[in-house]
Amino acid sequence: MALEHAILVSLLEKPGSGYELARRFERSIGYFWTATHQQIYRVLKRMESDGWVDVRDVPQYGRPDKKEYSVAAPGRQALSAWLGEPTEPESVRHDLAVKVRGAAFSDPAALIDEVERHREAHTARLAHYRAGETRDFGTPPADGGLDAERELQHVVLRGGIAYEQMMIAWLDDVLATLARFRTGD
Amino acid sequence: MALEHAILVSLLEKPGSGYELARRFERSIGYFWTATHQQIYRVLKRMESDGWVDVRDVPQYGRPDKKEYSVAAPGRQALSAWLGEPTEPESVRHDLAVKVRGAAFSDPAALIDEVERHREAHTARLAHYRAGETRDFGTPPADGGLDAERELQHVVLRGGIAYEQMMIAWLDDVLATLARFRTGD
DNA sequence: CATTGCTATGCAACGAGGTGCATAGCAGGA
DNA sequence: TCCTGCTATGCACCTCGTTGCATAGCAATG
C-alpha cells in the first residue's frame, strides 16, 4: 500500500486538511494515484495514531473549522524507508485493451465511439498538463538555483505528458485498425 | 469490474481451464489486466452459476483432470453489452511517480537504483513484446485475408510496445534529473 | 521409497478501495 | 424562508484483490 506515502509526499509539499488532500487527489497527485475522501480520512486517522502526522485544529470563519495535518518525524522516516525499498511493477488495468481484443467477437465498429471518447479525454488531459507546465515551469526559478522539489515535480509532469501523447497516438492506431472492419468494408 | 469480461475474451480466443487462464494472465492478457488464480476460480464459479460459461470435465492422463470452460450465449451477450457501455478513465497507480516527488524530501540519489531496476524491467518486457510480435505477426496470414482477432491482438500489442518505449524514455529523463542532485553536485 | 516439482482446484481471512449516506456550518439566491 | 451549494468530516457496508494454506494426481529424480 502506498496511499499513506502519497499523502506524506503531498503533506510535505504543503500541509493541509483531509478535504484539501482530497481535492489535490482530484488534480496533481491524483493523476498518478487516485483516492476518495473517505479513503483519505480513514488513512489520516491511522497515520495520526501511528504518529506519522501531527494535527492542528484550525478555526475558520465563513466556513467550517478544519484539521490541518503536517508530517511528523516518524512520517518522514517512514517515507525515506519506503523510498529505499524496492517496489514492484505497478499492476496494470487497461480495460480499453480488453475491449479492443473483445471487439473481435462482437462488432468492431461499435467500439469506435468509445475509443474516440477516450481519445478526447486524453487530449483534454494533455492540454491541461501543458497549461500547468507553462504556468509552473515556463520561466526559470527567480534565484536560478537547483530546486529538487520543483525539478522532480517537473519530471513527473513530463511523464504525464509523455503518457498522454503515447496514448493519443495509440488510440489513433486503434481507430485506424477498427475502421478496416467497418461493415461494408 | 471487468475481470469477468477479460475472462470472456480469453475464453473466446480459446476455451480452457481456470489453471490455463491463470497462466494466460501471467503473460498476454496479464500485461493489461492482472489476476491471481484464486480470483479466477472464484469468478469462474460465479460466471458458471450465471450461465455465462459452460463447463466440461476433461479427463487427462499423466496429469490431474481439468474443467474446461467455454463461453455460452449469455456470456457473449454480456460481453457485447459491456463493449457498448462507456467505461471510464482507468484509475492510475504509478508508485514510481509518487516516489520521484517524494525523493525531494529525502535523498534523491538514493532513488537511482530503484529507477534503474524499473528501467531494466521495462526493457526486458519490451524485448519480450517485440519477440512476440515477430513470432505472431512477423509474416502476413497465409490466406492474406483480414482477420479481426489477429489484427486487434496486434494493435493491443503495439500499444504495449509504445507504452514500454515511452516508459524507458521517461525513466532516462528521471535518471538524468536525479543525477543533477547527486551529493557533491 | 522419499522428495521435489508441476498440474489442477479450492477455502479462509484480511485489508484495500469504493458507494451510499449522514451530519453540520455557512453563504447566496429565489 | 427555503433551497441549493460549497466546505468539512465521518460511518457502514460491500466488493475486490491478495496472502496463506490445503488437497490431490502424477512424473521424474536420487
Side-chain angles (χ1 to χ4, degrees), chain B residues 125-146:
Chain B
R125 183 165 289 186
L126 176 59
H128 181 77
Y129 282 168
R130 283 195 164 133
E133 191 182 27
T134 304
R135 173 170 36 81
D136 298 334
F137 307 104
T139 50
D143 61 5
L146 213 55

Side-chain angles (χ1 to χ4, degrees), chain A residues 13 32 34 80 85 87-88 93-95 99 101 106 114 117-118 146 155 158-159 170 173 180, chain B residues 13 32 34 80 85 87-88 93-95 99 101 106 114 117-118 146 155 158-159 170 173 180:
Chain A
E13 288 177 355
F32 314 106
T34 58
S80 288
E85 75 192 30
T87 323
E88 253 347 90
R93 290 282 146 112
H94 282 191
D95 49 8
K99 281 194 174 187
R101 276 174 76 147
S106 182
E114 172 78 342
R117 277 187 48 255
H118 278 254
L146 213 54
V155 78
R158 287 201 298 275
W170 178 64
D173 188 3
R180 294 164 59 199
Chain B
E13 289 177 355
F32 314 106
T34 58
S80 289
E85 76 192 28
T87 322
E88 251 349 271
R93 290 281 146 109
H94 282 191
D95 49 8
K99 281 194 173 185
R101 276 175 76 148
S106 182
E114 171 78 341
R117 276 186 50 256
H118 279 255
L146 213 55
V155 79
R158 287 200 297 274
W170 178 64
D173 189 3
R180 294 165 59 197

